[in-house]
Coordinates of all heavy atoms in Angstrom, one line a residue:
M1 N 35.4 -0.7 -13.7 CA 34.2 0.1 -13.9 C 32.9 -0.7 -13.7 O 32.0 -0.2 -13.1 CB 34.3 0.7 -15.3 CG 33.1 1.6 -15.7 SD 33.2 3.1 -14.7 CE 31.9 4.0 -15.4
R2 N 32.9 -1.9 -14.2 CA 31.7 -2.7 -14.1 C 31.5 -3.0 -12.6 O 30.3 -3.1 -12.2 CB 31.9 -4.0 -14.8 CG 31.6 -3.9 -16.3 CD 31.6 -5.2 -16.9 NE 31.2 -5.1 -18.3 CZ 31.1 -6.1 -19.1 NH1 31.5 -7.3 -18.7 NH2 30.7 -5.9 -20.4
K3 N 32.6 -3.3 -11.9 CA 32.4 -3.6 -10.5 C 31.8 -2.4 -9.7 O 31.0 -2.6 -8.8 CB 33.8 -4.0 -9.9 CG 33.7 -4.7 -8.5 CD 35.0 -5.2 -8.1 CE 34.9 -6.0 -6.9 NZ 36.2 -6.6 -6.5
A4 N 32.3 -1.2 -10.0 CA 31.7 0.0 -9.4 C 30.2 0.2 -9.7 O 29.4 0.5 -8.8 CB 32.5 1.2 -9.8
L5 N 29.9 -0.1 -10.9 CA 28.5 0.0 -11.3 C 27.6 -1.0 -10.6 O 26.5 -0.8 -10.2 CB 28.3 -0.1 -12.8 CG 28.8 1.1 -13.6 CD1 28.7 0.8 -15.1 CD2 28.0 2.3 -13.3
A6 N 28.2 -2.2 -10.5 CA 27.4 -3.3 -9.8 C 27.2 -2.9 -8.3 O 26.2 -3.2 -7.7 CB 28.2 -4.6 -9.9
V7 N 28.2 -2.3 -7.7 CA 28.1 -1.9 -6.3 C 27.0 -0.8 -6.1 O 26.2 -0.8 -5.2 CB 29.5 -1.4 -5.7 CG1 29.3 -0.8 -4.3 CG2 30.4 -2.6 -5.6
I8 N 27.1 0.1 -7.0 CA 26.1 1.2 -7.0 C 24.7 0.7 -7.2 O 23.7 1.0 -6.5 CB 26.4 2.3 -8.1 CG1 27.7 3.0 -7.7 CG2 25.2 3.3 -8.2 CD1 28.2 3.9 -8.7
W9 N 24.5 -0.2 -8.2 CA 23.2 -0.9 -8.5 C 22.7 -1.6 -7.3 O 21.5 -1.5 -6.9 CB 23.4 -1.8 -9.7 CG 22.1 -2.5 -10.1 CD1 21.8 -3.8 -9.9 CD2 20.9 -1.9 -10.7 NE1 20.5 -4.0 -10.4 CE2 20.0 -2.9 -10.8 CE3 20.6 -0.6 -11.1 CZ2 18.8 -2.7 -11.4 CZ3 19.4 -0.4 -11.6 CH2 18.5 -1.4 -11.8
A10 N 23.6 -2.4 -6.6 CA 23.2 -3.2 -5.4 C 22.8 -2.2 -4.3 O 21.8 -2.5 -3.6 CB 24.3 -4.1 -5.0
A11 N 23.5 -1.1 -4.1 CA 23.1 -0.2 -3.1 C 21.8 0.5 -3.3 O 21.0 0.7 -2.4 CB 24.2 0.9 -2.9
A12 N 21.5 0.7 -4.6 CA 20.2 1.3 -5.0 C 19.1 0.3 -4.7 O 18.0 0.7 -4.2 CB 20.2 1.7 -6.5
L13 N 19.3 -0.9 -5.0 CA 18.3 -2.0 -4.7 C 18.0 -2.1 -3.2 O 16.9 -2.3 -2.8 CB 18.7 -3.3 -5.3 CG 18.6 -3.4 -6.8 CD1 19.1 -4.8 -7.3 CD2 17.1 -3.2 -7.3
V14 N 19.1 -2.1 -2.4 CA 18.9 -2.2 -1.0 C 18.1 -1.0 -0.5 O 17.2 -1.1 0.4 CB 20.3 -2.3 -0.3 CG1 20.1 -2.1 1.2 CG2 20.9 -3.6 -0.6
G15 N 18.3 0.2 -1.0 CA 17.6 1.4 -0.6 C 16.1 1.3 -1.0 O 15.3 1.7 -0.2
C16 N 15.8 0.6 -2.1 CA 14.4 0.5 -2.5 C 13.7 -0.5 -1.6 O 12.5 -0.3 -1.3 CB 14.3 0.0 -3.9 SG 14.8 1.2 -5.1
T17 N 14.3 -1.6 -1.1 CA 13.7 -2.6 -0.4 C 13.6 -2.2 1.1 O 12.8 -2.8 1.8 CB 14.4 -4.0 -0.5 OG1 15.7 -3.8 -0.1 CG2 14.3 -4.4 -1.9
S18 N 14.3 -1.2 1.5 CA 14.2 -0.9 3.0 C 13.4 0.3 3.2 O 13.6 1.1 4.2 CB 15.7 -0.6 3.5 OG 16.2 0.5 2.8
A19 N 12.4 0.6 2.3 CA 11.5 1.7 2.5 C 10.6 1.5 3.7 O 10.3 0.4 4.1 CB 10.7 1.9 1.2
V20 N 10.3 2.6 4.3 CA 9.4 2.6 5.5 C 8.0 2.1 5.1 O 7.4 2.6 4.1 CB 9.3 4.0 6.1 CG1 8.4 4.0 7.3 CG2 10.7 4.5 6.5
A21 N 7.5 1.2 5.8 CA 6.1 0.7 5.6 C 5.1 1.8 5.8 O 5.2 2.6 6.7 CB 5.9 -0.5 6.4
L22 N 4.0 1.8 5.0 CA 2.9 2.7 5.2 C 2.1 2.3 6.4 O 1.9 1.1 6.6 CB 2.0 2.7 3.9 CG 2.5 3.3 2.7 CD1 1.6 3.1 1.5 CD2 2.7 4.8 2.9
E23 N 1.7 3.2 7.1 CA 0.8 3.0 8.3 C -0.7 3.3 7.8 O -0.9 4.2 7.1 CB 1.2 3.9 9.4 CG 2.5 3.6 10.0 CD 2.6 2.2 10.6 OE1 1.6 1.7 11.2 OE2 3.6 1.5 10.5
P24 N -1.6 2.4 8.3 CA -3.0 2.7 7.9 C -3.5 4.0 8.6 O -3.1 4.4 9.7 CB -3.8 1.5 8.5 CG -2.8 0.6 9.1 CD -1.4 1.2 9.0
I25 N -4.4 4.7 7.9 CA -5.1 5.9 8.4 C -6.5 5.6 8.6 O -7.0 4.6 8.0 CB -4.8 7.1 7.5 CG1 -5.4 6.8 6.1 CG2 -3.3 7.4 7.4 CD1 -5.3 8.0 5.2
P26 N -7.3 6.4 9.3 CA -8.7 6.2 9.4 C -9.4 6.0 8.0 O -9.2 6.9 7.1 CB -9.3 7.4 10.1 CG -8.1 7.9 10.9 CD -6.9 7.6 10.1
G27 N -10.1 4.9 7.8 CA -10.7 4.6 6.5 C -10.0 3.5 5.8 O -10.5 2.9 4.9
S28 N -8.7 3.2 6.1 CA -8.0 2.1 5.5 C -8.6 0.8 6.0 O -9.1 0.7 7.1 CB -6.5 2.1 6.0 OG -5.9 3.3 5.5
I29 N -8.5 -0.2 5.1 CA -9.0 -1.5 5.5 C -8.4 -2.1 6.7 O -9.1 -2.7 7.6 CB -8.8 -2.5 4.3 CG1 -9.6 -2.1 3.1 CG2 -9.2 -3.9 4.7 CD1 -9.3 -2.9 1.8
T30 N -7.1 -1.8 6.9 CA -6.4 -2.4 8.1 C -6.2 -1.4 9.2 O -5.4 -1.6 10.1 CB -5.0 -2.9 7.6 OG1 -4.3 -1.9 7.0 CG2 -5.2 -4.1 6.7
Y31 N -7.0 -0.3 9.3 CA -6.8 0.7 10.3 C -7.0 0.1 11.7 O -6.2 0.4 12.6 CB -7.8 1.9 10.1 CG -7.6 2.9 11.1 CD1 -6.5 3.7 11.2 CD2 -8.7 3.2 12.0 CE1 -6.3 4.6 12.2 CE2 -8.5 4.2 13.0 CZ -7.3 4.9 13.0 OH -7.2 5.9 14.0
N32 N -8.0 -0.7 11.9 CA -8.2 -1.3 13.2 C -7.7 -2.7 13.3 O -8.3 -3.6 14.0 CB -9.7 -1.2 13.6 CG -10.2 0.2 13.9 OD1 -9.4 0.9 14.5 ND2 -11.4 0.5 13.5
G33 N -6.7 -3.1 12.5 CA -6.2 -4.4 12.5 C -6.6 -5.1 11.2 O -7.3 -4.5 10.4
Q34 N -6.3 -6.3 11.0 CA -6.7 -7.1 9.8 C -8.2 -7.3 9.8 O -8.8 -7.5 10.9 CB -5.9 -8.4 9.8 CG -4.4 -8.3 9.5 CD -4.1 -7.8 8.1 OE1 -4.8 -8.1 7.2 NE2 -3.1 -7.0 8.0
P35 N -8.8 -7.3 8.7 CA -10.3 -7.6 8.6 C -10.5 -9.1 9.1 O -9.7 -9.9 8.9 CB -10.6 -7.4 7.1 CG -9.3 -7.5 6.4 CD -8.2 -7.1 7.4
R36 N -11.7 -9.3 9.6 CA -12.1 -10.6 10.1 C -12.3 -11.6 8.9 O -11.9 -12.7 9.0 CB -13.4 -10.5 10.9 CG -13.2 -9.8 12.2 CD -14.5 -9.8 13.0 NE -14.3 -8.9 14.1 CZ -15.0 -8.9 15.2 NH1 -16.0 -9.8 15.3 NH2 -14.8 -8.0 16.2
S37 N -12.9 -11.1 7.9 CA -13.1 -12.0 6.7 C -11.8 -12.1 5.9 O -11.1 -11.1 5.8 CB -14.2 -11.5 5.8 OG -13.9 -10.2 5.3
R38 N -11.5 -13.2 5.4 CA -10.2 -13.4 4.6 C -10.6 -13.6 3.2 O -11.6 -14.1 2.8 CB -9.5 -14.7 5.1 CG -9.1 -14.7 6.6 CD -8.0 -13.7 6.8 NE -7.6 -13.7 8.2 CZ -6.5 -13.1 8.6 NH1 -5.7 -12.5 7.8 NH2 -6.2 -13.1 9.9
L39 N -9.7 -13.1 2.3 CA -9.9 -13.3 0.9 C -9.4 -14.7 0.5 O -8.3 -14.9 0.3 CB -9.1 -12.2 0.1 CG -9.6 -10.8 0.5 CD1 -8.6 -9.8 -0.1 CD2 -11.0 -10.5 -0.1
A40 N -10.4 -15.6 0.5 CA -10.0 -17.1 0.3 C -9.7 -17.5 -1.1 O -9.0 -18.3 -1.4 CB -11.1 -17.9 0.9
K41 N -10.4 -16.8 -2.1 CA -10.3 -17.2 -3.5 C -9.1 -16.5 -4.2 O -8.6 -17.1 -5.2 CB -11.6 -17.0 -4.2 CG -12.7 -17.9 -3.7 CD -13.9 -17.8 -4.5 CE -15.0 -18.7 -4.0 NZ -16.2 -18.5 -4.8
A42 N -8.7 -15.4 -3.8 CA -7.7 -14.7 -4.5 C -6.3 -15.2 -4.1 O -6.1 -15.5 -2.9 CB -7.7 -13.2 -4.1
P43 N -5.4 -15.5 -5.1 CA -4.1 -16.0 -4.8 C -3.2 -15.0 -4.0 O -3.4 -13.8 -4.2 CB -3.6 -16.4 -6.1 CG -4.3 -15.5 -7.1 CD -5.6 -15.3 -6.5
A44 N -2.3 -15.6 -3.2 CA -1.3 -14.7 -2.6 C -0.6 -13.9 -3.6 O -0.2 -14.4 -4.7 CB -0.4 -15.6 -1.7
G45 N -0.3 -12.7 -3.3 CA 0.4 -11.8 -4.2 C -0.5 -11.0 -5.1 O -0.1 -10.1 -5.8
S46 N -1.8 -11.2 -5.0 CA -2.8 -10.5 -5.8 C -3.0 -9.1 -5.2 O -3.0 -8.9 -3.9 CB -4.1 -11.1 -5.8 OG -4.1 -12.4 -6.4
P47 N -3.1 -8.0 -6.0 CA -3.4 -6.7 -5.5 C -4.9 -6.5 -5.2 O -5.7 -7.1 -5.8 CB -2.9 -5.8 -6.6 CG -3.1 -6.6 -7.9 CD -2.9 -8.1 -7.4
V48 N -5.1 -5.7 -4.2 CA -6.5 -5.3 -3.8 C -6.5 -3.8 -3.7 O -5.7 -3.2 -3.0 CB -6.9 -5.9 -2.4 CG1 -8.3 -5.5 -2.0 CG2 -6.8 -7.4 -2.5
S49 N -7.5 -3.2 -4.4 CA -7.6 -1.7 -4.4 C -8.7 -1.3 -3.5 O -9.7 -2.0 -3.3 CB -7.9 -1.2 -5.8 OG -6.9 -1.5 -6.7
H50 N -8.5 -0.1 -2.9 CA -9.5 0.4 -1.9 C -9.5 1.9 -2.1 O -8.5 2.5 -2.1 CB -9.1 0.0 -0.5 CG -10.0 0.6 0.6 ND1 -11.3 0.3 0.6 CD2 -9.7 1.4 1.6 CE1 -11.8 1.0 1.7 NE2 -10.9 1.6 2.3
Q51 N -10.7 2.5 -2.1 CA -10.9 3.9 -2.2 C -11.8 4.4 -1.1 O -12.8 3.7 -0.8 CB -11.5 4.3 -3.6 CG -10.7 3.9 -4.8 CD -11.4 4.3 -6.1 OE1 -12.2 5.2 -6.1 NE2 -11.1 3.6 -7.1
F52 N -11.5 5.6 -0.5 CA -12.3 6.1 0.5 C -12.0 7.6 0.6 O -11.0 8.1 0.2 CB -12.1 5.4 1.8 CG -10.7 5.5 2.4 CD1 -10.4 6.5 3.3 CD2 -9.6 4.7 2.0 CE1 -9.1 6.7 3.8 CE2 -8.4 4.8 2.5 CZ -8.1 5.8 3.4
Q53 N -12.9 8.3 1.3 CA -12.8 9.7 1.6 C -12.2 9.8 3.0 O -12.8 9.3 3.9 CB -14.1 10.5 1.4 CG -13.9 12.0 1.6 CD -15.1 12.8 1.1 OE1 -16.1 12.2 0.7 NE2 -15.0 14.1 1.3
G54 N -11.1 10.5 3.1 CA -10.5 10.7 4.4 C -11.2 11.7 5.3 O -12.0 12.5 4.8
Q55 N -10.8 11.8 6.5 CA -11.3 12.8 7.4 C -11.0 14.2 7.0 O -11.7 15.2 7.4 CB -10.9 12.6 8.8 CG -11.3 11.2 9.4 CD -10.8 10.9 10.8 OE1 -9.7 11.5 11.2 NE2 -11.4 10.1 11.5
D56 N -10.0 14.4 6.2 CA -9.6 15.7 5.7 C -10.3 16.1 4.4 O -10.0 17.2 3.9 CB -8.0 15.8 5.5 CG -7.5 14.7 4.6 OD1 -8.4 13.9 4.0 OD2 -6.3 14.6 4.4
G57 N -11.2 15.3 4.0 CA -12.0 15.6 2.8 C -11.3 15.1 1.5 O -11.9 15.3 0.4
R58 N -10.1 14.6 1.5 CA -9.4 14.1 0.3 C -9.8 12.7 0.0 O -10.2 11.9 0.9 CB -7.9 14.2 0.6 CG -7.4 15.6 0.8 CD -6.0 15.6 1.2 NE -5.2 15.6 0.0 CZ -3.9 15.5 0.1 NH1 -3.2 15.3 1.2 NH2 -3.2 15.5 -1.1
Q59 N -9.8 12.4 -1.3 CA -10.1 11.0 -1.8 C -8.8 10.3 -1.8 O -7.8 10.7 -2.3 CB -10.7 11.1 -3.2 CG -11.2 9.8 -3.7 CD -12.4 9.3 -3.0 OE1 -13.2 10.1 -2.5 NE2 -12.7 8.0 -3.1
Y60 N -8.8 9.1 -1.1 CA -7.6 8.3 -1.0 C -7.8 7.0 -1.8 O -8.8 6.4 -1.8 CB -7.2 7.9 0.4 CG -6.7 9.1 1.2 CD1 -7.6 9.9 2.0 CD2 -5.4 9.4 1.2 CE1 -7.1 11.0 2.7 CE2 -4.9 10.5 1.9 CZ -5.7 11.3 2.7 OH -5.2 12.3 3.4
H61 N -6.7 6.6 -2.5 CA -6.6 5.3 -3.2 C -5.5 4.5 -2.6 O -4.4 5.0 -2.5 CB -6.4 5.6 -4.7 CG -7.4 6.4 -5.3 ND1 -8.5 5.8 -6.0 CD2 -7.6 7.7 -5.4 CE1 -9.2 6.8 -6.5 NE2 -8.7 7.9 -6.1
E62 N -5.8 3.3 -2.1 CA -4.8 2.4 -1.5 C -4.7 1.1 -2.3 O -5.7 0.7 -2.9 CB -5.2 2.1 -0.1 CG -5.1 3.3 0.8 CD -5.5 2.9 2.3 OE1 -6.3 2.0 2.5 OE2 -4.9 3.5 3.2
T63 N -3.5 0.5 -2.3 CA -3.3 -0.8 -2.9 C -2.7 -1.7 -1.8 O -1.8 -1.3 -1.1 CB -2.3 -0.7 -4.1 OG1 -2.9 0.2 -5.0 CG2 -2.1 -2.1 -4.7
Y64 N -3.3 -2.8 -1.7 CA -2.9 -3.9 -0.7 C -2.4 -5.1 -1.5 O -2.9 -5.3 -2.7 CB -4.0 -4.3 0.2 CG -4.5 -3.3 1.2 CD1 -5.4 -2.3 0.8 CD2 -4.0 -3.2 2.4 CE1 -5.9 -1.4 1.7 CE2 -4.4 -2.3 3.3 CZ -5.4 -1.3 2.9 OH -5.8 -0.4 3.8
I65 N -1.5 -5.9 -0.9 CA -1.1 -7.2 -1.5 C -1.5 -8.3 -0.6 O -1.3 -8.2 0.7 CB 0.4 -7.2 -1.8 CG1 0.8 -6.1 -2.7 CG2 0.8 -8.6 -2.3 CD1 0.3 -6.3 -4.2
I66 N -2.2 -9.3 -1.1 CA -2.6 -10.4 -0.3 C -1.3 -11.3 0.1 O -0.6 -11.7 -0.8 CB -3.6 -11.3 -1.0 CG1 -4.9 -10.5 -1.3 CG2 -4.0 -12.5 -0.1 CD1 -5.9 -11.2 -2.1
Q67 N -1.1 -11.5 1.4 CA 0.1 -12.2 1.8 C -0.3 -13.7 1.9 O -1.4 -14.1 1.8 CB 0.4 -11.7 3.2 CG 0.8 -10.3 3.3 CD 2.0 -9.9 2.4 OE1 3.1 -10.4 2.7 NE2 1.8 -9.2 1.4
P68 N 0.8 -14.6 1.9 CA 0.5 -16.0 2.0 C -0.4 -16.5 3.1 O -1.1 -17.4 3.0 CB 1.9 -16.6 2.1 CG 2.8 -15.6 1.5 CD 2.2 -14.3 1.8
D69 N -0.4 -15.7 4.3 CA -1.3 -16.1 5.4 C -2.7 -15.5 5.3 O -3.4 -15.5 6.2 CB -0.6 -15.7 6.7 CG -0.5 -14.2 6.9 OD1 -0.8 -13.4 5.9 OD2 -0.1 -13.7 8.0
R70 N -3.0 -14.9 4.1 CA -4.3 -14.3 3.7 C -4.5 -12.9 4.4 O -5.5 -12.4 4.3 CB -5.5 -15.2 4.1 CG -5.3 -16.6 3.7 CD -4.8 -16.9 2.3 NE -5.8 -16.4 1.3 CZ -5.5 -16.2 0.0 NH1 -4.3 -16.5 -0.4 NH2 -6.4 -15.8 -0.8
S71 N -3.5 -12.4 5.0 CA -3.6 -11.0 5.6 C -3.3 -10.0 4.4 O -2.9 -10.4 3.3 CB -2.6 -10.8 6.7 OG -1.3 -10.9 6.2
L72 N -3.5 -8.7 4.7 CA -3.3 -7.7 3.7 C -2.2 -6.8 4.1 O -2.0 -6.4 5.3 CB -4.6 -6.8 3.6 CG -5.8 -7.5 3.0 CD1 -7.0 -6.6 3.1 CD2 -5.6 -8.0 1.6
K73 N -1.3 -6.5 3.1 CA -0.2 -5.6 3.4 C -0.4 -4.3 2.5 O -0.5 -4.4 1.3 CB 1.1 -6.3 3.0 CG 2.3 -5.4 3.2 CD 3.6 -6.1 2.7 CE 4.8 -5.2 2.9 NZ 6.0 -5.9 2.4
L74 N -0.4 -3.2 3.2 CA -0.6 -1.9 2.5 C 0.7 -1.5 1.8 O 1.8 -1.4 2.5 CB -1.0 -0.8 3.6 CG -1.2 0.6 3.0 CD1 -2.3 0.6 2.0 CD2 -1.5 1.5 4.2
V75 N 0.7 -1.4 0.5 CA 1.9 -1.1 -0.2 C 1.9 0.2 -0.9 O 3.0 0.7 -1.3 CB 2.2 -2.2 -1.3 CG1 2.5 -3.5 -0.6 CG2 1.1 -2.4 -2.2
D76 N 0.7 0.9 -1.1 CA 0.7 2.2 -1.8 C -0.5 2.9 -1.4 O -1.6 2.4 -1.2 CB 0.7 1.9 -3.3 CG 0.8 3.2 -4.1 OD1 1.6 4.1 -3.7 OD2 0.1 3.3 -5.1
R77 N -0.3 4.3 -1.3 CA -1.5 5.2 -1.0 C -1.2 6.5 -1.7 O -0.1 7.0 -1.7 CB -1.6 5.4 0.4 CG -2.8 6.4 0.7 CD -2.9 6.9 2.2 NE -2.9 5.8 3.1 CZ -2.1 5.6 4.1 NH1 -1.1 6.4 4.3 NH2 -2.2 4.6 4.9
Y78 N -2.2 7.0 -2.3 CA -2.1 8.4 -2.8 C -3.4 9.1 -2.6 O -4.5 8.5 -2.6 CB -1.6 8.5 -4.3 CG -2.5 7.9 -5.3 CD1 -3.5 8.6 -6.0 CD2 -2.4 6.5 -5.7 CE1 -4.3 8.1 -6.9 CE2 -3.3 6.0 -6.6 CZ -4.2 6.8 -7.2 OH -5.1 6.2 -8.2
A79 N -3.3 10.4 -2.5 CA -4.5 11.2 -2.3 C -4.8 12.1 -3.5 O -3.9 12.5 -4.2 CB -4.3 12.1 -1.1
V80 N -6.1 12.3 -3.7 CA -6.6 13.2 -4.8 C -7.4 14.3 -4.2 O -8.3 14.0 -3.4 CB -7.4 12.4 -5.8 CG1 -7.9 13.3 -6.9 CG2 -6.7 11.2 -6.4
D81 N -7.0 15.5 -4.4 CA -7.8 16.7 -3.9 C -9.0 16.8 -4.7 O -9.0 16.8 -6.0 CB -7.0 17.9 -4.0 CG -5.8 18.0 -3.0 OD1 -6.0 17.5 -1.9 OD2 -4.7 18.5 -3.4
I82 N -10.2 16.9 -4.1 CA -11.5 17.0 -4.7 C -11.7 18.5 -4.9 O -11.7 19.3 -3.9 CB -12.6 16.4 -3.9 CG1 -12.3 14.9 -3.7 CG2 -13.9 16.6 -4.6 CD1 -13.2 14.2 -2.7
P83 N -11.9 19.0 -6.2 CA -12.1 20.4 -6.4 C -13.5 20.9 -5.8 O -14.5 20.2 -5.9 CB -12.1 20.6 -7.9 CG -12.3 19.2 -8.5 CD -11.9 18.2 -7.4
I84 N -13.4 22.0 -5.2 CA -14.7 22.6 -4.6 C -15.1 23.7 -5.6 O -14.4 24.6 -5.9 CB -14.4 23.2 -3.2 CG1 -13.9 22.1 -2.3 CG2 -15.6 23.9 -2.7 CD1 -13.5 22.6 -1.0
D85 N -16.4 23.6 -6.1 CA -16.9 24.6 -7.0 C -17.6 25.7 -6.3 O -18.3 25.6 -5.3 CB -17.9 23.9 -8.0 CG -17.1 23.0 -8.9 OD1 -15.9 23.2 -9.2 OD2 -17.7 22.0 -9.4

């Protein structure tokens, strides 16, 4: 039984790590490639938040992780619908 649970657990972890990478959209920091300026003082692995209004009028919140080479990796994005009064 333990062996079966270990196999299921391992399969679940593999599924989590093989998720499709997010692609930048217009307004994302990395939409036209990596930014020219590098975040020199923040340590690798640090999160960077970014908020912007998309072309569709929705407010987007993105999270990036600073990589060891100082580039940014987009790891999360969610949209918030702005209520219209």
Side-chain angles (χ1 to χ4, degrees):
M1 181 68 176
R2 282 187 172 179
K3 193 172 188 176
L5 288 175
V7 170
I8 292 171
W9 181 252
L13 287 177
V14 168
C16 290
T17 58
S18 64
V20 176
L22 287 174
E23 294 295 323
I25 61 174
S28 296
I29 296 174
T30 58
Y31 180 64
N32 290 323
Q34 291 290 325
R36 291 181 190 201
S37 62
R38 301 287 181 171
L39 299 168
K41 293 185 180 181
S46 298
V48 175
S49 297
H50 176 60
Q51 299 178 24
F52 63 96
Q53 186 169 357
Q55 294 175 339
D56 58 1
R58 299 172 82 186
Q59 186 73 24
Y60 288 93
H61 299 265
E62 294 181 327
T63 303
Y64 293 85
I65 299 294
I66 300 175
Q67 300 299 293
D69 67 352
R70 316 311 297 163
S71 64
L72 296 173
K73 178 180 180 183
L74 179 59
V75 294
D76 185 41
R77 177 188 308 124
Y78 64 92
V80 178
D81 291 321
I82 300 171
I84 300 173
D85 294 330

